[in-house]
Structures are given as C-alpha cells and as structure tokens.
Amino acid sequence: MKRKLVSLLLALTVLASLPILPARAADSTDAVSLVQALGIMTGDQNGNLNLSRNVTRAEFAKMLVSASSFKNSSASAGYSLFKDIKSGHWASGYIKITVEQGWFNGYLDGTFRPNNPITFEEAATVALRLLGYTAADLTGAYPMAQISKFESLDLHDGFSAGRGQYMTRSDCAHLFANLMSAKTKEGTVYAQTLGYDLDATGHLDYTSLVSADTKGPFTLTGSIQDLISFSPTQVYRNGAAASLSEAERYDVCYYNSGLKTVWLFSDRVTGSYSAASPSTAAPTSVTVAGQTYTVETSAAAYALSDQGKYRIGDTVTLLLGMNGGVADVRGAEETSGVFYGVVKSQKDETVQNAGGTSSVKRILTVFCTDGVERVFEAGSLGFTPGTAVLVDYSAANPLSYLPTTRHAGVFSSGRFGDFKLAQNVEIIDSNRYGNAKQIYTDRLSGSTLDLGNVLYYQVNAKGELSHLILRDATGDASTYGLVLTASESKQDVISGSYRFLINGVESNYATNDSILHLSTGAARLTYDSDGKLSQAANLTRLSSPKLNGQSVYAGDKRYAVVESTQFYIHRDGGYFETTLDSIRDGYEIDVYADNLGYPAGMSARIIVATAKSD
C-alpha cells in the first residue's frame, strides 16, 4: 500500500475541513470559523451560533476577555463593581476584568446594564481601547472620533452595523476577526501580542492555531461523549462527513472544541511486529506486516519497547492516526473487528521473528468496504488481486475467501432490489485487477445491476443490506486520463510510446512487443496490482455536448458529472486543471464519456474547455 500517500491524504482531510482564511476575514464563514477557533464565540447547547441575534454588553465583555491576554484567566463570579450585577451573575468576573483594564465603563448611576444590547459605537470604543488607544489619540468628539479611527484600522470590514445600531453576533465575529489582524497603538499585530503565530503575510496563522488547539490522538474504548464535553457541529470519519453514531471502538479520535469538530480514523494494520528503529529500547518507527510506520505517541512507543507489552514476533494491531503514524497499539484479538473487502495486492516479505530467526510471510493489502486500505498477514493462503475476502481476527483463521453471493435489481428509494439499504451501508466497486473505489448510494441511484455486477453482499440483523462489493458496476475503479501523444509502431519491432495527463500530472509510458491501440483524446487506463498498465481503451468524445447542472447532455442521452470527473482548460498548447463552475460560461467544451458498458456508468470522465473566440 502506498502508505505515505494515504497518510498525507488523511492529514489533509483534517485541514480540508477548515476554511483557508484571507488576511482580512471579511467573509462571514471565515470570520466565524476564526473566532470559534480562538474560543471567542461558541454556540448554544445545540451548537447553533444564532448569528442574527443581538449581543448584550455582558456577552460582549466575555468575548472581549476571550480575545485578550486574560483569555486563560479565571473569570469566575463572586464579586461585582455595579449595583445591577449580583455577585452570582454569570458575567460578573468577565465584566470585572474589562472594567479594571479600562476597556469597558459603567454608567454614572453606578449600573453596568449587562442585558442592554451593545451599540456599534460602544463596541468600536472598546475595541480601540483594547488596541491601546485613548481619547488623547483621537481627533474630534465622541462617537465620530472613535468611529473614524475604528474604520481607518479596517475593523469595520465585513459587517454593516453603523452608528446607533446594535451589534449582532455576526457583526461581533467580524469585529474580533478583524481585530486579530489589526495593529496596536505600538505598531504590533494584535494577534502576536497574544502569543499567536503569524503567517508569511504578517497575519494570524490560522493553520497553526487550529493545529495547536486540536487535541488528540485518543483511542476510543467507550462512548465518545466520555471524551468530549461539547456537542460537535462537524464530524468526519476517514475524511468523509459522518455523525457521532458512526464512531466505533478503537477509532483514533481528534477534536477541536473551538471549532466544535471531531475527526475519527479507523485505519489499522494487523500483522507480525518484526523490527524497531533505532532499537526496541525507544522505538521511533516500527515494522509490522512488512511495512514501516512512524511512532507518533509516547504510549505507542512504550507499548512497543522493551518495557512494554509487545515483543518482536508478536502479532499486533497498529491504530493509525491522521498522519498515518502509530497512535496506539493493541493485541490483534483485542481489536477483532470484521472487515469485508477486495484484495488489492499480495507480496511476500522476509520478517524477523522472536529469537532472531527469519521467515517469509505473505502480506495482503485489502481495500475494505469502509473505503480504507488495510494491511494483513495472509498466513499460508494465496489470494489473487480482485478476490473478495473476509478479515475476522476473532476467528481461528483471520483471513478467508468470501463466497460469491449474487443479487440483481434497481437502486431506488433506499433499496437495492429486494433489500432495504442499511443507514450506514458500505459499498465498493472493484475490477478483477484489485482496483477498488468507495461508492455512495446516490452514485447508484436509478441504476439496474445484474448478477454479474455483485460479487458479495452481507445483511445485518434487521435483514438490511449492510455491505456490498460490486464488480464493474460504475467504472470508478479504473483510472481515466488524457492521451496527449500516442506513437505506435507495428512494423519489425512492435512498440508504443504514450504521454498521459491524469489528474493534472503528466506521465510517460512505453511498451515493447505490444501496443495499447490508443489515439489522442481520452482513455480508460486499467493497472494491475504491480502497477503495470494492463488494459486501455479510448473514451467516446461526445457530439455537441451541453452542460446543465451536474450533467452533460448529448443528443438524447445524459452523462453524469461524477466526483472523479477531471476538468481542464486548454490554453496556449497546455492543459490546466480547473473546476466545473469555472467553465460554465465563456467556454466551448469537449466531453469524453465512458460508453463502456457499465450499468452505472455513462459518466463524463474528462471535460476539456477552450475559451470561446470573440
């Protein structure tokens, strides 16, 4: 398995779920994400941010403290400076800090009026004081002097409240997001005065902020609610949107309470522990099932060390975290999950056993129905790529062949033929070379599959379809690319030379004693488990295609734009990756579709756009 690539992709899924903030967080989503990450603004018990609601003076005082150097100070109730705030008032501690620091003032009658909505000019005045400005630094009378300075520092960017108007929670999100990029009276970026890192543009480094505030890894051994103290608004499992109910025992968990986000990873490797580097005294990397992994936590390093539970030669399960490294280690029997999947590759590896002896073990890479590649030891059995297998470490023989179980029917309204689909049904499509791709039910909606398209199915205790392994149902398991050049010799020496563009990356491929029968345009490329191009076929170039929503129409036929569709702009002799939305207007398009017999195919695989001439 291409472990480094998988590890990188897992790491990127975490960052991909976070917005990339500009220097000025004028966009509402960006501003809210930033103040959430900073802990300045949180939602209610249901995670709702209620952005249109007005903010009270007490609530603003709490935000102010959270956005200051006192963010980690105790702001407990118990003492009040104002007659309208009892000692037990929830905000008395926050108000006390803001008043003592000279940011907020009460009224001449000795009240603070905590439940009054805060006005724009009040918020502007307080923000300026936080940056170190006083009335002596301003020109003119209140409030225009404060408003003028406030706007000159770009603190008003992105929200519309003005003089005499109340600040909403959305307005406050923008104000505090802008505040982090503003300079203090002394000329220092405000975020830096709070100890936050700056990026290359001199503004708060959002990525490092989120990384620093993301907690984990933790191994789930009980309820996830025992681990987190908030109600998450976003949950991801193996990079895909999920719910907390999908969390499973021994998932590796990370969370960010500011963003109210949870990330779960279920990638595991089970096999013989054969080596440790630099030594078993303090391993920083280990080899299991023929693959080497970085040890990311002290707990995992201890477990695999001389003082720990596991020894060279033991069969262990590595629980991998977001970076593909070892987050935790368990015994194979302890994590005895059941996995269904398709063999991607098989190879023999020489491993060191306990006592210093060596042996050859068969290592299997399996693409499982949950979309995760896993590595296992196959014992004495041999498995051909493309074979459906069951992995169950609670059984005497953990790996076994899955019997072929056929089914046919239409995917429609939460059903496949006679079966109702389970809520979390896991589906993969595969080909005989061991290539596989996770498939979601909406990808199959309306499709009619015959018996030959179903390799295996499993039902749960309710009689619902829970796992489904397909064979050549969608064509998504194959690779698609542009054929930029194709040179084939059929004379004395039969050979071919080709240049491909696949997902924006160019590559060259040559053949000896054979040719691929390809022409320029686009093609389906099928690789075997050794990475050799075993099959190739040109795709159909549609005549007079028209884009409409997520579909392409040509004649009386519809071709779906799918998740893996590639988009290019052809300009100045080159091809440049782009997106569907970028080519909807002002471009002529060439569309290459897979009229190759897949029942859920008929998809637009590659779309090339050329700017319309004036």
Side-chain angles (χ1 to χ4, degrees), residues 30-267:
D30 295 341
V32 170
S33 296
L34 180 58
V35 295
Q36 279 187 288
L38 290 166
I40 297 171
M41 182 180 289
T42 57
D44 59 22
Q45 64 272 19
N46 297 316
N48 299 319
L49 290 168
N50 303 307
L51 295 176
S52 62
R53 185 172 61 78
N54 290 339
V55 173
T56 66
R57 284 167 54 85
E59 290 170 335
F60 195 82
K62 181 182 179 181
M63 294 180 188
L64 199 63
V65 172
S66 300
S68 75
S69 58
F70 292 85
K71 60 184 183 295
N72 296 320
S73 301
S74 172
S76 58
Y79 177 75
S80 175
L81 299 173
F82 300 96
K83 62 184 182 183
D84 60 343
I85 300 178
K86 295 181 180 180
S87 60
H89 189 282
W90 70 268
S92 64
Y94 299 110
I95 293 170
K96 180 174 180 289
I97 290 174
T98 62
V99 172
E100 289 178 341
Q101 296 306 308
W103 303 329
F104 238 139
N105 292 327
Y107 292 89
L108 294 176
D109 61 359
T111 63
F112 185 81
R113 304 175 193 177
N115 297 324
N116 280 11
I118 190 166
T119 64
F120 168 70
E121 51 265 40
E122 287 176 321
T125 301
V126 171
L128 291 175
R129 290 171 180 163
L130 194 64
L131 293 175
Y133 293 96
T134 67
D137 301 309
L138 308 177
T139 302
Y142 179 86
M144 292 311 299
Q146 284 75 10
I147 293 173
S148 177
K149 186 65 175 179
F150 183 82
E151 293 179 341
S152 73
L153 294 172
D154 295 327
L155 292 171
H156 198 193
D157 284 2
F159 67 96
S160 58
R163 181 178 178 180
Q165 295 180 319
Y166 295 133
M167 295 283 288
T168 65
R169 287 173 61 81
S170 177
D171 294 333
C172 289
H174 284 89
L175 189 159
F176 285 106
N178 294 334
L179 185 69
M180 291 299 151
S181 296
K183 288 188 176 181
T184 66
K185 178 182 175 180
E186 288 72 29
T188 304
V189 174
Y190 181 69
Q192 194 173 26
T193 69
L194 302 180
Y196 296 121
D197 293 332
L198 303 184
D199 60 20
T201 67
H203 296 88
L204 189 151
D205 189 333
Y206 182 70
T207 301
S208 67
L209 168 68
V210 172
S211 299
D213 289 344
T214 296
K215 310 301 182 184
F218 304 98
T219 301
L220 292 185
T221 55
S223 169
I224 192 170
Q225 295 293 2
D226 295 335
L227 177 64
I228 61 175
S229 59
F230 60 92
S231 297
T233 56
Q234 297 179 100
V235 179
Y236 299 91
R237 190 165 190 266
N238 299 323
S243 64
L244 283 186
S245 63
E246 296 177 58
E248 295 182 3
R249 186 175 176 85
Y250 299 117
D251 277 358
V252 175
C253 175
Y254 301 78
Y255 67 85
N256 188 301
S257 56
L259 293 176
K260 293 198 171 184
T261 300
V262 172
W263 297 272
L264 301 166
F265 298 92
S266 65
D267 201 3

Side-chain angles (χ1 to χ4, degrees), residues 347-384:
K347 62 180 179 179
D348 292 338
E349 294 277 353
T350 301
V351 299
Q352 184 180 3
N353 304 312
T357 61
S358 297
S359 65
V360 176
K361 295 194 175 183
R362 187 155 291 161
I363 307 301
L364 216 62
T365 299
V366 178
F367 191 92
C368 300
T369 52
D370 61 356
V372 177
E373 282 187 15
R374 294 183 171 89
V375 179
F376 306 96
E377 288 182 11
S380 59
L381 295 175
F383 294 87
T384 304

